[in-house]
């Protein structure tokens, strides 16, 4: 009889307290949120921490495979973000990002049980596939994230706390 040496986890069903390795760093999930994109799809977002650093891992299961995005908050002046949405491009760290996709939906923090908030997401890509995301919330506030899409297999050693 053969036994699995480690448990397999569905990447879109992890919980607060789970740990995993990514980019040679051990991360811990501290919050879980859910985006409903109103197109018969949704994604889960994990707020992850490692040694005081915070990042985000968004996971969507579509057509039998995981689409995974790693990102970190960056600070860009709001005037540049408003201009980027209008002009469909933004220059950040001497790299040009161009608007590729826009999604409308809502977000709910499943850890704090917040009420749903409407938002619009603007996905800008650079030539090297780096991703800059601007989120425009229902109250008009803007958040911006820099990251990349990655293969699910890069997330290793998933363990429950």
């Amino acid at each position: 009889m053969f036994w699995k040496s480690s448990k397999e986890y569905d990447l879109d069903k992890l919980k607060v307290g789970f740990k995993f390795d990514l980019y040679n760093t051990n991360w811990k999930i501290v919050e879980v949120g859910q985006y409903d994109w109103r197109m018969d799809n949704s994604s889960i977002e994990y707020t992850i921490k490692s040694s005081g650093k915070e990042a985000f891992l968004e996971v969507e299961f579509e057509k039998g495979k995981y689409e995974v995005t790693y990102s970190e908050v960056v600070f860009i002046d709001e005037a540049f973000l408003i201009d980027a949405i209008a002009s469909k491009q933004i220059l950040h760290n001497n790299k040009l990002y161009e608007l590729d996709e826009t999604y409308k939906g809502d977000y709910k923090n499943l850890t704090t049980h917040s009420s749903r908030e409407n938002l619009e997401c603007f996905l800008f890509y650079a030539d090297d596939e780096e991703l800059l995301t601007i989120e425009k919330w229902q109250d008009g506030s803007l958040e911006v994230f820099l990251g990349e899409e990655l293969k699910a297999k890069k997330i290793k050693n998933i363990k429950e706390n």
Side-chain angles (χ1 to χ4, degrees), residues 116-130:
R116 292 204 170 271
E117 290 185 69
N118 291 320
L119 79 153
E120 190 169 6
C121 285
F122 303 88
L123 306 180
F124 294 79
Y125 287 89
D127 286 340
D128 63 1
E129 296 301 311
E130 197 169 81

Side-chain angles (χ1 to χ4, degrees), residues 4-10 14 18 157-160:
K4 279 188 177 179
S5 59
S6 68
K7 186 174 177 184
E8 294 289 320
Y9 291 99
D10 293 329
L14 304 180
F18 274 60
N157 301 319
I158 300 171
K159 294 183 178 104
E160 291 183 56

Side-chain angles (χ1 to χ4, degrees), residues 51-138:
S51 303
K53 180 178 181 179
E54 183 176 84
F56 302 90
L57 197 66
E58 187 174 347
V59 178
E60 184 174 343
F61 190 71
E62 188 173 9
K63 296 178 184 161
K65 66 178 189 137
Y66 290 108
E67 292 181 10
V68 182
T69 305
Y70 171 89
S71 63
E72 298 176 7
V73 172
V74 290
F75 295 97
I76 300 174
D77 186 272
E78 189 171 301
F80 290 113
L81 301 178
I82 292 167
D83 183 60
I85 292 168
S87 69
K88 298 182 173 38
Q89 54 184 211
I90 185 169
L91 189 64
H92 178 68
N93 287 346
N94 295 318
K95 194 180 288 189
L96 181 64
Y97 295 84
E98 300 201 55
L99 183 64
D100 185 60
E101 300 172 81
T102 303
Y103 295 104
K104 288 185 179 185
D106 59 59
Y107 172 83
K108 179 176 179 68
N109 185 315
L110 301 177
T111 304
T112 63
H113 305 290
S114 68
S115 56
R116 292 204 170 271
E117 290 185 69
N118 291 320
L119 79 153
E120 190 169 6
C121 285
F122 303 88
L123 306 180
F124 294 79
Y125 287 89
D127 286 340
D128 63 1
E129 296 301 311
E130 197 169 81
L131 171 66
L132 188 141
T133 305
I134 300 173
E135 292 182 349
K136 183 177 182 181
W137 294 89
Q138 67 188 23

